Amino acid sequence: QVQLMESGGGSVQAGGSLRLSCGVSGYTHENYCMAWFRQAPGAEREGVAALWTGGGAKYYGRSVEGRFAVSRDSAKHTLYLQMNDLKPDDTAVYYCASQDYLGGCPALETPYAYEFWGQGTQVTVSS
């Protein structure tokens, strides 16, 4: 069974930075998708970034492109999300997600396509 565990959330002022981590276990091969989603109170779950382990392709949501960067340490089985120039609108619970997928990642607009989820970590950005 695939398991995901996020860490690294917290509170920061606007313009600051945070790095989230997501440890993954349970995969027996190296062709799967890892992604970050977020959900603010009263809002739908929003795709932030994704990375396909098979070839390293990366995908970003339009609201974070240029400010956030997704990366992976394959030796540590860990996915990262570096968040820079944070804005109050980035405040949300951030979730790590994963899906066994060949040739890329399910679209970030389709959170229902991701089978495995972490418990979430809170990010709060104050103005």
Side-chain angles (χ1 to χ4, degrees), residues 54-75:
K58 299 178 182 180
Y59 312 86
Y60 293 96
R62 280 181 290 180
S63 64
V64 305
E65 198 156 16
R67 300 187 297 123
F68 291 11
V70 64
S71 63
R72 175 178 176 253
D73 185 328
S74 58

PDB file of all heavy atoms in Angstrom, residues 54-75:
ATOM      1  N   GLY A  54       9.025   8.914 -13.764  1.00  0.00           N
ATOM      2  CA  GLY A  54       9.616   8.145 -14.852  1.00  0.00           C
ATOM      3  C   GLY A  54      10.540   8.956 -15.737  1.00  0.00           C
ATOM      4  O   GLY A  54      11.558   8.453 -16.212  1.00  0.00           O
ATOM      5  N   GLY A  55      10.199  10.227 -15.960  1.00  0.00           N
ATOM      6  CA  GLY A  55      11.027  11.032 -16.853  1.00  0.00           C
ATOM      7  C   GLY A  55      11.338  12.405 -16.306  1.00  0.00           C
ATOM      8  O   GLY A  55      12.104  13.163 -16.914  1.00  0.00           O
ATOM      9  N   GLY A  56      10.775  12.736 -15.150  1.00  0.00           N
ATOM     10  CA  GLY A  56      11.065  14.017 -14.528  1.00  0.00           C
ATOM     11  C   GLY A  56      10.217  15.171 -15.002  1.00  0.00           C
ATOM     12  O   GLY A  56      10.457  16.312 -14.601  1.00  0.00           O
ATOM     13  N   ALA A  57       9.216  14.920 -15.844  1.00  0.00           N
ATOM     14  CA  ALA A  57       8.367  16.009 -16.322  1.00  0.00           C
ATOM     15  C   ALA A  57       7.664  16.686 -15.150  1.00  0.00           C
ATOM     16  O   ALA A  57       7.237  16.017 -14.205  1.00  0.00           O
ATOM     17  CB  ALA A  57       7.333  15.473 -17.308  1.00  0.00           C
ATOM     18  N   LYS A  58       7.552  18.011 -15.237  1.00  0.00           N
ATOM     19  CA  LYS A  58       6.937  18.789 -14.166  1.00  0.00           C
ATOM     20  C   LYS A  58       5.770  19.600 -14.715  1.00  0.00           C
ATOM     21  O   LYS A  58       5.808  20.058 -15.858  1.00  0.00           O
ATOM     22  CB  LYS A  58       7.974  19.721 -13.525  1.00  0.00           C
ATOM     23  CG  LYS A  58       9.152  18.982 -12.906  1.00  0.00           C
ATOM     24  CD  LYS A  58      10.176  19.934 -12.337  1.00  0.00           C
ATOM     25  CE  LYS A  58      11.366  19.168 -11.759  1.00  0.00           C
ATOM     26  NZ  LYS A  58      12.392  20.077 -11.195  1.00  0.00           N
ATOM     27  N   TYR A  59       4.781  19.791 -13.886  1.00  0.00           N
ATOM     28  CA  TYR A  59       3.575  20.518 -14.266  1.00  0.00           C
ATOM     29  C   TYR A  59       3.221  21.474 -13.137  1.00  0.00           C
ATOM     30  O   TYR A  59       3.389  21.145 -11.966  1.00  0.00           O
ATOM     31  CB  TYR A  59       2.409  19.537 -14.493  1.00  0.00           C
ATOM     32  CG  TYR A  59       2.771  18.357 -15.370  1.00  0.00           C
ATOM     33  CD1 TYR A  59       3.350  17.216 -14.823  1.00  0.00           C
ATOM     34  CD2 TYR A  59       2.544  18.387 -16.743  1.00  0.00           C
ATOM     35  CE1 TYR A  59       3.693  16.131 -15.618  1.00  0.00           C
ATOM     36  CE2 TYR A  59       2.882  17.299 -17.542  1.00  0.00           C
ATOM     37  CZ  TYR A  59       3.451  16.182 -16.977  1.00  0.00           C
ATOM     38  OH  TYR A  59       3.798  15.110 -17.762  1.00  0.00           O
ATOM     39  N   TYR A  60       2.710  22.654 -13.489  1.00  0.00           N
ATOM     40  CA  TYR A  60       2.371  23.650 -12.487  1.00  0.00           C
ATOM     41  C   TYR A  60       0.998  24.249 -12.741  1.00  0.00           C
ATOM     42  O   TYR A  60       0.584  24.430 -13.891  1.00  0.00           O
ATOM     43  CB  TYR A  60       3.399  24.785 -12.478  1.00  0.00           C
ATOM     44  CG  TYR A  60       4.756  24.347 -12.009  1.00  0.00           C
ATOM     45  CD1 TYR A  60       5.760  23.995 -12.911  1.00  0.00           C
ATOM     46  CD2 TYR A  60       5.044  24.281 -10.646  1.00  0.00           C
ATOM     47  CE1 TYR A  60       7.010  23.589 -12.467  1.00  0.00           C
ATOM     48  CE2 TYR A  60       6.295  23.884 -10.197  1.00  0.00           C
ATOM     49  CZ  TYR A  60       7.259  23.537 -11.115  1.00  0.00           C
ATOM     50  OH  TYR A  60       8.498  23.137 -10.672  1.00  0.00           O
ATOM     51  N   GLY A  61       0.309  24.590 -11.650  1.00  0.00           N
ATOM     52  CA  GLY A  61      -0.912  25.356 -11.767  1.00  0.00           C
ATOM     53  C   GLY A  61      -0.589  26.797 -12.123  1.00  0.00           C
ATOM     54  O   GLY A  61       0.467  27.319 -11.737  1.00  0.00           O
ATOM     55  N   ARG A  62      -1.494  27.460 -12.810  1.00  0.00           N
ATOM     56  CA  ARG A  62      -1.209  28.811 -13.290  1.00  0.00           C
ATOM     57  C   ARG A  62      -1.008  29.796 -12.155  1.00  0.00           C
ATOM     58  O   ARG A  62      -0.232  30.743 -12.286  1.00  0.00           O
ATOM     59  CB  ARG A  62      -2.351  29.275 -14.194  1.00  0.00           C
ATOM     60  CG  ARG A  62      -2.273  28.722 -15.600  1.00  0.00           C
ATOM     61  CD  ARG A  62      -3.400  29.215 -16.454  1.00  0.00           C
ATOM     62  NE  ARG A  62      -4.683  28.627 -16.057  1.00  0.00           N
ATOM     63  CZ  ARG A  62      -5.826  28.897 -16.640  1.00  0.00           C
ATOM     64  NH1 ARG A  62      -5.883  29.765 -17.627  1.00  0.00           N
ATOM     65  NH2 ARG A  62      -6.937  28.311 -16.239  1.00  0.00           N
ATOM     66  N   SER A  63      -1.651  29.585 -11.037  1.00  0.00           N
ATOM     67  CA  SER A  63      -1.560  30.550  -9.940  1.00  0.00           C
ATOM     68  C   SER A  63      -0.214  30.503  -9.219  1.00  0.00           C
ATOM     69  O   SER A  63       0.106  31.428  -8.462  1.00  0.00           O
ATOM     70  CB  SER A  63      -2.697  30.313  -8.947  1.00  0.00           C
ATOM     71  OG  SER A  63      -2.573  29.031  -8.349  1.00  0.00           O
ATOM     72  N   VAL A  64       0.567  29.463  -9.455  1.00  0.00           N
ATOM     73  CA  VAL A  64       1.833  29.334  -8.730  1.00  0.00           C
ATOM     74  C   VAL A  64       3.046  29.303  -9.658  1.00  0.00           C
ATOM     75  O   VAL A  64       4.191  29.349  -9.185  1.00  0.00           O
ATOM     76  CB  VAL A  64       1.860  28.069  -7.844  1.00  0.00           C
ATOM     77  CG1 VAL A  64       0.666  28.065  -6.908  1.00  0.00           C
ATOM     78  CG2 VAL A  64       1.912  26.802  -8.687  1.00  0.00           C
ATOM     79  N   GLU A  65       2.806  29.214 -10.961  1.00  0.00           N
ATOM     80  CA  GLU A  65       3.934  29.093 -11.892  1.00  0.00           C
ATOM     81  C   GLU A  65       4.843  30.301 -11.759  1.00  0.00           C
ATOM     82  O   GLU A  65       4.407  31.445 -11.722  1.00  0.00           O
ATOM     83  CB  GLU A  65       3.429  28.953 -13.326  1.00  0.00           C
ATOM     84  CG  GLU A  65       4.470  28.409 -14.286  1.00  0.00           C
ATOM     85  CD  GLU A  65       3.850  27.754 -15.500  1.00  0.00           C
ATOM     86  OE1 GLU A  65       2.655  27.984 -15.750  1.00  0.00           O
ATOM     87  OE2 GLU A  65       4.559  27.011 -16.193  1.00  0.00           O
ATOM     88  N   GLY A  66       6.149  30.022 -11.664  1.00  0.00           N
ATOM     89  CA  GLY A  66       7.129  31.088 -11.496  1.00  0.00           C
ATOM     90  C   GLY A  66       7.463  31.380 -10.040  1.00  0.00           C
ATOM     91  O   GLY A  66       8.480  32.016  -9.750  1.00  0.00           O
ATOM     92  N   ARG A  67       6.628  30.924  -9.126  1.00  0.00           N
ATOM     93  CA  ARG A  67       6.881  31.144  -7.698  1.00  0.00           C
ATOM     94  C   ARG A  67       7.180  29.843  -6.958  1.00  0.00           C
ATOM     95  O   ARG A  67       7.947  29.822  -5.998  1.00  0.00           O
ATOM     96  CB  ARG A  67       5.677  31.815  -7.036  1.00  0.00           C
ATOM     97  CG  ARG A  67       5.314  33.172  -7.605  1.00  0.00           C
ATOM     98  CD  ARG A  67       4.228  33.841  -6.776  1.00  0.00           C
ATOM     99  NE  ARG A  67       2.978  33.098  -6.791  1.00  0.00           N
ATOM    100  CZ  ARG A  67       2.364  32.654  -5.688  1.00  0.00           C
ATOM    101  NH1 ARG A  67       2.895  32.874  -4.495  1.00  0.00           N
ATOM    102  NH2 ARG A  67       1.214  32.006  -5.803  1.00  0.00           N
ATOM    103  N   PHE A  68       6.559  28.774  -7.370  1.00  0.00           N
ATOM    104  CA  PHE A  68       6.735  27.474  -6.724  1.00  0.00           C
ATOM    105  C   PHE A  68       7.569  26.563  -7.619  1.00  0.00           C
ATOM    106  O   PHE A  68       7.502  26.659  -8.854  1.00  0.00           O
ATOM    107  CB  PHE A  68       5.386  26.804  -6.472  1.00  0.00           C
ATOM    108  CG  PHE A  68       4.521  27.458  -5.420  1.00  0.00           C
ATOM    109  CD1 PHE A  68       4.820  28.709  -4.895  1.00  0.00           C
ATOM    110  CD2 PHE A  68       3.387  26.808  -4.956  1.00  0.00           C
ATOM    111  CE1 PHE A  68       4.022  29.303  -3.935  1.00  0.00           C
ATOM    112  CE2 PHE A  68       2.577  27.384  -4.000  1.00  0.00           C
ATOM    113  CZ  PHE A  68       2.885  28.642  -3.492  1.00  0.00           C
ATOM    114  N   ALA A  69       8.301  25.651  -6.983  1.00  0.00           N
ATOM    115  CA  ALA A  69       9.097  24.686  -7.734  1.00  0.00           C
ATOM    116  C   ALA A  69       8.970  23.314  -7.091  1.00  0.00           C
ATOM    117  O   ALA A  69       9.160  23.174  -5.873  1.00  0.00           O
ATOM    118  CB  ALA A  69      10.554  25.111  -7.785  1.00  0.00           C
ATOM    119  N   VAL A  70       8.651  22.325  -7.896  1.00  0.00           N
ATOM    120  CA  VAL A  70       8.541  20.946  -7.413  1.00  0.00           C
ATOM    121  C   VAL A  70       9.818  20.194  -7.780  1.00  0.00           C
ATOM    122  O   VAL A  70      10.385  20.393  -8.859  1.00  0.00           O
ATOM    123  CB  VAL A  70       7.287  20.250  -8.005  1.00  0.00           C
ATOM    124  CG1 VAL A  70       7.381  20.115  -9.521  1.00  0.00           C
ATOM    125  CG2 VAL A  70       7.060  18.900  -7.338  1.00  0.00           C
ATOM    126  N   SER A  71      10.270  19.358  -6.845  1.00  0.00           N
ATOM    127  CA  SER A  71      11.472  18.568  -7.093  1.00  0.00           C
ATOM    128  C   SER A  71      11.380  17.276  -6.304  1.00  0.00           C
ATOM    129  O   SER A  71      10.481  17.097  -5.490  1.00  0.00           O
ATOM    130  CB  SER A  71      12.733  19.352  -6.708  1.00  0.00           C
ATOM    131  OG  SER A  71      12.729  19.642  -5.326  1.00  0.00           O
ATOM    132  N   ARG A  72      12.361  16.400  -6.553  1.00  0.00           N
ATOM    133  CA  ARG A  72      12.310  15.088  -5.911  1.00  0.00           C
ATOM    134  C   ARG A  72      13.716  14.615  -5.616  1.00  0.00           C
ATOM    135  O   ARG A  72      14.634  14.827  -6.417  1.00  0.00           O
ATOM    136  CB  ARG A  72      11.594  14.095  -6.836  1.00  0.00           C
ATOM    137  CG  ARG A  72      11.573  12.653  -6.367  1.00  0.00           C
ATOM    138  CD  ARG A  72      10.797  11.811  -7.356  1.00  0.00           C
ATOM    139  NE  ARG A  72      10.829  10.396  -7.005  1.00  0.00           N
ATOM    140  CZ  ARG A  72      11.524   9.481  -7.662  1.00  0.00           C
ATOM    141  NH1 ARG A  72      12.263   9.836  -8.692  1.00  0.00           N
ATOM    142  NH2 ARG A  72      11.477   8.213  -7.292  1.00  0.00           N
ATOM    143  N   ASP A  73      13.867  13.988  -4.468  1.00  0.00           N
ATOM    144  CA  ASP A  73      15.103  13.284  -4.117  1.00  0.00           C
ATOM    145  C   ASP A  73      14.762  11.804  -4.182  1.00  0.00           C
ATOM    146  O   ASP A  73      14.118  11.270  -3.271  1.00  0.00           O
ATOM    147  CB  ASP A  73      15.578  13.690  -2.720  1.00  0.00           C
ATOM    148  CG  ASP A  73      16.917  13.079  -2.356  1.00  0.00           C
ATOM    149  OD1 ASP A  73      17.197  11.943  -2.818  1.00  0.00           O
ATOM    150  OD2 ASP A  73      17.669  13.718  -1.604  1.00  0.00           O
ATOM    151  N   SER A  74      15.171  11.138  -5.265  1.00  0.00           N
ATOM    152  CA  SER A  74      14.778   9.743  -5.454  1.00  0.00           C
ATOM    153  C   SER A  74      15.396   8.834  -4.405  1.00  0.00           C
ATOM    154  O   SER A  74      14.786   7.841  -3.988  1.00  0.00           O
ATOM    155  CB  SER A  74      15.149   9.276  -6.858  1.00  0.00           C
ATOM    156  OG  SER A  74      16.541   9.419  -7.076  1.00  0.00           O
ATOM    157  N   ALA A  75      16.597   9.162  -3.958  1.00  0.00           N
ATOM    158  CA  ALA A  75      17.263   8.328  -2.953  1.00  0.00           C
ATOM    159  C   ALA A  75      16.530   8.363  -1.623  1.00  0.00           C
ATOM    160  O   ALA A  75      16.492   7.367  -0.894  1.00  0.00           O
ATOM    161  CB  ALA A  75      18.701   8.781  -2.776  1.00  0.00           C
TER     162      ALA A  75
END
